[in-house]
């Protein structure tokens, strides 16, 4: 089992920045990919950014150039630095971890609200 503990989020004006952090605990040796998804009411959860254990990153087109994902394999943490935030970035953001066996774990979610 893997547990994910998120921190960060909150309210920010458009153009501002926020940083989300997530720490994994439990069977962390099983984790390959870590990242972030987001979800708005009535919509499916969508991938924002992810990083593999080898450091390969992947971003949604909507956040490329504005968000940066980073990972500390020793501490098994993953951060999401969000810059130039837009109102459409408002969502509940979820930390995720995927094991080598392709099992997904999710954090409890943290609200990000960007005001115009």
């Amino acid at each position: 089992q893997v547990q994910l503990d998120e921190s960060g989020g909150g309210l920010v004006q458009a153009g501002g920045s926020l940083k989300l952090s997530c720490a994994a605990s439990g069977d962390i040796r099983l984790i390959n990919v870590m990242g972030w998804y987001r979800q708005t009411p009535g919509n499916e959860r969508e991938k924002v950014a992810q990083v593999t254990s080898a450091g390969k990153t992947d971003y949604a087109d909507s956040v490329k150039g504005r968000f940066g994902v980073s990972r500390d394999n020793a501490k098994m943490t993953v951060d999401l630095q969000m810059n130039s935030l837009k109102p459409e970035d408002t969502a509940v953001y979820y930390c995720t971890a995927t094991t080598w066996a392709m099992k997904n774990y999710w954090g409890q979610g943290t609200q990000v609200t960007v005001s115009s």
Side-chain angles (χ1 to χ4, degrees):
Q1 292 290 324
V2 172
Q3 294 80 42
L4 300 172
D5 185 21
E6 302 151 340
S7 60
L11 175 64
V12 66
Q13 288 188 333
S17 298
L18 279 176
K19 182 178 180 180
L20 305 180
S21 297
C22 175
S25 60
D27 291 330
I28 60 174
R29 60 184 174 84
L30 302 177
I31 297 173
N32 176 19
V33 182
M34 297 187 75
W36 295 89
Y37 278 62
R38 66 187 181 187
Q39 187 172 25
T40 54
N43 294 307
E44 293 187 357
R45 208 169 284 189
E46 64 172 0
K47 183 174 68 178
V48 176
Q50 66 180 30
V51 54
T52 70
S53 58
K56 181 179 179 180
T57 58
D58 183 37
Y59 295 92
D61 288 342
S62 60
V63 307
K64 284 180 180 177
R66 299 188 298 123
F67 290 12
V69 63
S70 60
R71 173 173 176 166
D72 185 326
N73 285 330
K75 298 179 180 178
M76 203 52 76
T77 59
V78 61
D79 293 337
L80 183 68
Q81 178 66 46
M82 304 184 291
N83 300 321
S84 301
L85 282 160
K86 304 175 181 180
E88 51 264 44
D89 294 318
T90 296
V92 177
Y93 284 70
Y94 295 90
C95 177
T96 181
T98 303
T99 69
W100 293 98
M102 301 303 291
K103 183 172 183 178
N104 292 322
Y105 292 90
W106 298 91
Q108 76 281 6
T110 185
Q111 177 69 46
V112 171
T113 303
V114 184
S115 63
S116 57

